[in-house]
Amino acid sequence: MPHITLVRHGQANTDARDEISYDRLSDLGHQQARWLGAHMEATGDRFQRVYCGTLTRHIETAISMGAEAHATIVRDERLNEFTYFTLSQLMEEQHGLSVPSEREGFVEHLPTVLGAWERGEIEGAPETYAQFESRVRDVMAEIAAGQGRALVVTSGGLIGMVLRQTLSLDVQGWAKMCLAIMNTSVHRWQMVLEQPLLVQFNGVAHLEAPDRQYAQTHL
């Protein structure tokens, strides 16, 4: 039975306000990834295929996890995050929507931006919503068609889109899923009769010990 495990990258540069500055792991992000890799090794969680996006934070997470010990890492730009910082900047310029400075502010900001993007109301976006949705659907279908258990290291927005496509979520539901996804969290799907079934969401067993709970981060 095809089995796909998606992992969100470790904590990135939380002080960033643009795509390039954000795209590197913090020291904690590397540690989160090392703990996850060690947890998978200790529990016998093995993979015959490993994929990640081409963003630095994806590659650094996969390497810090020790994912190369399972299989050669296939880098696929279709697994990259949508450009949230850029979309937010365009929303501010075109619609006067200020970018929040704290996590709580994103509860309203994220669905507003995603909704405008989906409706085609953000001019000059690096890719359209339809292009993002299509590339996620295509790459996941290709991975699902492969043989053996697959590990995919990617970003929260992409994992949220897979959840949206699996669970038929509206834009509000998609945004809520994205906000909930923690760094280095584990999400699992099984294909049954060619249909993806979600069997695990936001697992952080590697961060549940009392001395590691501080590392349960969202940003």
Side-chain angles (χ1 to χ4, degrees):
M1 181 182 298
H3 184 289
I4 304 172
T5 295
L6 269 65
V7 171
R8 185 189 176 197
H9 61 79
Q11 184 191 62
N13 178 18
T14 57
D15 294 326
R17 289 297 179 265
D18 61 74
E19 308 294 343
I20 295 175
S21 299
Y22 181 69
D23 193 28
R24 65 177 186 272
L25 293 191
S26 66
D27 291 342
L28 177 58
H30 281 288
Q31 182 61 71
Q32 290 166 331
R34 287 192 291 269
W35 279 332
L36 176 56
H39 175 77
M40 288 180 164
E41 180 68 24
T43 56
D45 209 359
R46 304 296 297 174
F47 302 93
Q48 287 71 52
R49 298 176 290 145
V50 179
Y51 304 84
C52 74
T54 59
L55 297 175
T56 299
R57 59 189 183 273
H58 299 159
I59 297 166
E60 288 182 341
T61 299
I63 291 173
S64 287
M65 286 176 61
E68 291 174 306
H70 297 262
T72 300
I73 301 172
V74 176
R75 302 179 185 182
D76 191 325
E77 64 182 6
R78 292 175 299 174
L79 293 168
N80 289 352
E81 180 68 289
F82 63 86
T83 54
Y84 182 64
F85 285 108
T86 301
L87 292 173
S88 297
Q89 291 164 0
L90 292 171
M91 277 291 289
E92 185 168 23
E93 295 169 4
Q94 297 171 20
H95 302 282
L97 181 68
S98 298
V99 180
S101 58
E102 73 292 328
R103 179 170 178 263
E104 288 72 17
F106 288 97
V107 173
E108 294 184 359
H109 187 268
L110 181 60
T112 301
V113 172
L114 294 181
W117 186 37
E118 182 181 41
R119 295 188 298 271
E121 296 173 357
I122 304 177
E123 296 181 6
E127 69 177 333
T128 66
Y129 167 82
Q131 289 169 335
F132 176 66
E133 182 182 42
S134 177
R135 69 171 164 91
V136 173
R137 190 182 303 278
D138 289 348
V139 71
M140 291 304 296
E142 289 181 22
I143 293 172
Q147 297 297 313
R149 301 175 79 244
L151 172 66
V152 180
V153 180
T154 182
S155 289
L158 189 139
I159 295 171
M161 173 54 72
V162 179
L163 288 163
R164 181 178 195 183
Q165 294 172 347
T166 303
L167 304 174
S168 301
L169 301 173
D170 62 13
V171 70
Q172 291 286 336
W174 176 29
K176 289 178 181 177
M177 286 293 191
C178 290
L179 289 166
I181 294 171
M182 289 187 279
N183 294 116
T184 62
S185 54
V186 176
H187 312 258
R188 299 186 191 273
W189 279 259
Q190 287 183 349
M191 300 297 294
V192 178
L193 299 177
E194 299 184 354
Q195 295 296 318
L197 298 180
L198 178 67
V199 295
Q200 182 179 355
F201 171 70
N202 221 22
V204 287
H206 59 297
L207 303 177
E208 290 179 350
D211 61 342
R212 295 184 184 179
Q213 290 180 5
Y214 75 93
Q216 295 181 13
T217 60
H218 294 83
L219 296 176

